[in-house]
Amino acid sequence: MSQAPRVRILLSETYNPWFNLATEDWIFRELDPSTQTLFLWRNDNTVVIGRNQNPWSECNLARMEEDKVFLARRTSGGGAVFHDLGNTCFTFLSAKEGYDKTANVRILLDALSRLGVTAQASGRNDLVIPLEDGPRKISGSAYRETKDRAFHHGTFLIHANLSRLANYLTPHPKKLESKGSASVRSRVMNIRDLQSEASHESLVKAMIGAFCDFHGATAEPELLEPSFLESQPSLKRTFDHYASWDWRFGNAPRFSHQMVEYLSWGFFEVHVDTENGHVTRAQVFSDALYPDLVQDLQAALTGKPHSRNGMQQAVAEVRARHPSQERELAELETWLMGQVEV
């Protein structure tokens, strides 16, 4: 008689996306793949972008800051998505040997069935509800494999605020040309549109039941709180990485940004090329009566982070060389910092 596989169930008790994404990465890199692992979690008010995406072109960063929305970047590819507490996220870890990609899909469909929802797989990554006017997506997934382990993660839309998705993934109109990949918007719907009683708690219960039944095993869920970081130094380092500006913004692909304004002391047209979140080339055109200041600004911008702090650093360098133009530089600093949004 074959022995039932070992299973492990982890439930996040925090809505912090950097903690949850770091935990995913920790699960993938460090947990024993011979143990079938299920991780369930939610992020609060978060835009998650793909590894190769540009937050300045994908996201309305000014509105995100105003509404206190997190920006997170995952290590996998794909497009930008918005998470709120109406999204339930899932992560599976399995051994690569004998791994069947359809196994987890069967678990997901079984969990939905326990909620009274009949769905079907669409292609490799999505679960959809078939409707008369066409299928509506309720879940999307992504996969990752190494020589000894297989990783599958995704999200369910339970009662997500779908209008906010468009708010934060639509950038302000500005002259910003990106060479990153643009996100593809899909026709989506909430599970609660079909089952009014569906909730995160009921889906978690259904997922745990379907997972344990499929593997013929049982396990008590382990609750993960922020204090868990202190007991796992490698997880803490990963969390710090996911929370860092360098990862979230500095990992952006190459793009160009043009800024144009009439200031009280002259017309300014600033072009910057940015790669990995830092200005690699700057050109400043102006009819201001301080030509040396304009040239010093062009030189100072190069190498700075494409951020408010970076603009502030550049103007500070110019200020040190032109202390008598404090009023003009204060206006310039305010304008430049307002253009980069973060």
Side-chain angles (χ1 to χ4, degrees), residues 2 19 29 88 94 117 119 152 155 234 267 274 281 300 325 332:
S2 61
F19 176 93
R29 287 185 295 104
T88 293
S94 307
V117 175
H152 170 195
T155 184
S234 63
F267 172 80
T274 300
R281 179 173 177 267
Q325 271 71 59
L332 177 68

Side-chain angles (χ1 to χ4, degrees), residues 113-127:
S113 178
R114 295 173 188 231
L115 298 181
V117 175
T118 301
Q120 57 188 221
S122 174
R124 184 172 181 262
N125 299 326
D126 298 339
L127 300 182

Side-chain angles (χ1 to χ4, degrees), residues 180-256:
S181 31
S183 294
V184 178
R185 281 48 161 176
S186 302
R187 297 185 70 200
V188 298
M189 71 178 295
N190 280 311
I191 293 171
R192 196 172 277 183
D193 293 337
L194 294 172
Q195 281 292 343
S196 60
E197 300 301 313
S199 66
H200 170 72
E201 292 74 20
S202 64
L203 181 58
V204 165
K205 181 179 179 180
M207 282 286 291
I208 291 174
F211 177 73
C212 289
D213 287 353
F214 182 87
H215 292 294
T218 59
E220 285 297 317
E222 302 171 42
L223 305 182
L224 303 186
E225 298 182 349
S227 59
F228 185 64
L229 292 173
E230 305 309 318
S231 66
Q232 300 290 335
S234 63
L235 176 56
K236 177 63 166 62
R237 288 192 296 272
T238 306
F239 169 82
D240 291 341
H241 170 70
Y242 274 93
S244 69
W245 188 93
D246 282 346
W247 172 248
R248 292 180 297 125
F249 292 98
N251 201 52
R254 182 164 54 94
F255 67 97
S256 301

